[in-house]
Amino acid sequence: MLFDCERLTLARRLRGLRKNQLAQAVGTTPKAIGRYEAGVQRPEEPTVRRLAIALGVPVEFFQSGRSPVSMDGAHFRSLRSTTQIERDQALAYGRIATDVVAVLERLVDLPEVDLPEYPVSPEEIAGPGPAEAARLTRKALVERAGPVPHVVRLLESHGVIVLVLPRAAERVDAFSVGVHPRPMVFFNPAKGDYWRNRFDAAHELGHLVMHADAEPGEKIVEDQAHRFAAEFLMPEADIAGELPARPDWERLGRLKASWGVSMAALLYRARTLGIMTEPVYRDAMSALSSRGWRRQEPGPARPLEQPTMLTRALEVVEGAGTDRDRIAGEARVTRADLDLLVPRR
């Protein structure tokens, strides 16, 4: 078997291990692991088997084959609060997801990728670019005024792969990759917040539309995606007349229910549109904090918007006689990892 050194790196990152931890598990040194991963030295067959056991993958996982898809341009949320290992692990899930998608695309017709591009300079600090990009994107994708009924379904219907991050990578809020042939968006469901996840989805859509050539992680770029999401979910033309100039909680609660955005997002929108003054906004956010509403806002909970495209694709494939074990084998991922990425309904 031809040993692919990059597949070893992928498996180690998938399990969130440092080189010294893997070395300890297989009875070798971190330097040896580094040589295996760099392709300087090929591990002996017994070592390959121990690596497979330690990483919870079949030996065939290390077999060379399809060229890896680069995740170098991924846009992460909460970049400062996550570790490199956590980001590497999340990206490793993205990598194996591309292998699963590649197999499924040979068997079923997924929606055509149909996203507009409206590049905004990563140096534009306070200009109208993000809001204009959001208005044009809404016109291209939504074709109606008012609230967006289901953001995840909208992304999937335009060919975006949307996946929920496994809990192992739960400190990563969300990230997106404009990867070929399909863009991908990953969510973190850990906080179980319907309104936050919808805003995350719109934020990542902003990256896909505006930032194909921007350096990921820059504060200005993240702020642009934030402003895109605000205009995309709460268009100025539709919502400006409804927002209060003062923190009218009952009214904000009604707007939250109808627009599918949090009260915090509504306050932010009222401030950025100049409807609410800066001092009033600050007082309102302080009130949110003192009431414990920054952690959990009042009102009934809602189930998260869940992606279904890949789940439906797997159901179609299974109905035609190709079970999940075979899909996992062809994608060279474990069945457990496939089920984590694409759970059954």
Side-chain angles (χ1 to χ4, degrees):
M1 183 190 82
L2 293 175
F3 183 84
D4 186 337
C5 57
E6 291 188 355
R7 299 283 293 179
L8 174 58
T9 306
L10 173 63
R12 180 176 60 78
R13 290 177 173 174
L14 194 62
R15 302 305 174 222
L17 295 178
R18 298 180 186 277
K19 289 176 185 172
N20 66 325
Q21 293 172 310
L22 179 57
Q24 186 175 20
V26 300
T28 187
T29 66
K31 185 177 179 180
I33 297 296
R35 291 173 67 84
Y36 301 153
E37 292 191 6
V40 175
Q41 179 184 348
R42 186 195 185 286
E44 300 292 333
E45 290 300 332
T47 305
V48 173
R49 288 195 290 273
R50 290 199 297 275
L51 288 168
I53 292 170
L55 293 167
V57 297
V59 169
E60 292 74 19
F61 187 92
F62 304 122
Q63 191 172 0
S64 61
R66 200 165 65 88
S67 298
V69 176
S70 172
M71 294 275 169
D72 290 346
H75 289 274
F76 272 93
R77 302 285 302 278
S78 299
L79 200 58
R80 293 175 183 170
S81 63
T82 54
T83 66
Q84 186 63 50
I85 283 185
E86 289 166 331
R87 292 197 293 274
D88 286 344
Q89 187 174 28
L91 290 175
Y93 277 115
R95 279 278 307 281
I96 67 170
T98 65
D99 292 337
V100 172
V101 172
V103 172
L104 287 175
E105 291 216 76
R106 296 202 304 265
L107 302 171
V108 295
D109 291 326
L110 300 179
E112 182 181 351
V113 178
D114 179 26
L115 277 188
E117 281 192 68
Y118 301 109
V120 175
S121 169
E123 297 177 354
E124 181 183 314
I125 296 176
E132 181 63 16
R135 282 191 284 272
L136 292 169
T137 303
R138 269 192 72 108
K139 187 176 180 181
L141 303 187
V142 184
E143 298 180 330
R144 54 174 284 183
V148 179
H150 200 295
V151 183
V152 167
R153 193 172 298 156
L154 179 71
L155 291 175
E156 290 191 318
S157 69
H158 288 272
V160 179
I161 300 295
V162 183
L163 290 164
V164 175
L165 281 168
R167 291 204 173 272
E170 65 183 11
R171 276 170 43 110
V172 174
D173 260 4
F175 73 98
S176 57
V177 187
V179 66
H180 296 290
R182 289 182 179 277
M184 306 176 76
V185 169
F186 284 79
F187 288 106
N188 184 343
K191 294 180 180 176
D193 190 321
Y194 164 87
W195 294 273
R196 178 171 176 169
N197 273 31
R198 276 170 57 87
F199 201 90
D200 282 348
H203 178 106
E204 299 307 325
L205 173 61
H207 283 313
L208 296 176
V209 168
M210 299 187 294
H211 297 144
D213 197 30
E215 188 67 26
E218 294 288 336
K219 187 176 184 303
I220 295 173
V221 168
E222 288 301 303
D223 180 68
Q224 288 176 347
H226 214 59
R227 286 188 282 144
F228 176 100
E231 175 65 24
F232 187 80
L233 292 176
M234 298 169 280
E236 179 179 2
D238 299 338
I239 203 170
E242 300 184 43
L243 291 170
R246 306 197 67 79
D248 179 340
W249 301 116
E250 187 175 335
R251 186 171 171 184
L252 287 166
R254 289 197 300 271
L255 290 173
K256 172 183 173 178
S258 61
W259 284 86
V261 293
S262 67
M263 289 197 294
L266 288 162
L267 290 170
Y268 171 83
R269 192 64 174 145
R271 183 194 64 169
T272 55
L273 292 179
I275 296 167
M276 187 172 285
T277 65
E278 184 68 25
V280 172
Y281 170 76
R282 289 181 183 175
D283 288 345
M285 294 305 289
S286 295
L288 276 181
S289 295
S290 63
R291 299 177 188 205
W293 291 353
R294 296 293 292 270
R295 293 188 300 276
Q296 184 173 0
E297 293 188 355
R302 290 187 186 179
L304 301 182
E305 292 185 357
Q306 293 289 345
T308 58
M309 186 208 297
L310 295 187
T311 301
R312 286 206 305 269
L314 275 167
E315 289 170 352
V316 169
V317 170
E318 286 180 287
T322 302
D323 62 20
R324 282 183 169 239
D325 288 330
R326 184 171 167 186
I327 295 295
E330 291 191 18
R332 290 191 297 154
V333 303
T334 68
R335 171 62 189 274
D337 285 327
L338 174 64
D339 290 345
L340 265 179
L341 282 170
V342 193
R344 291 185 183 278
R345 283 194 274 194

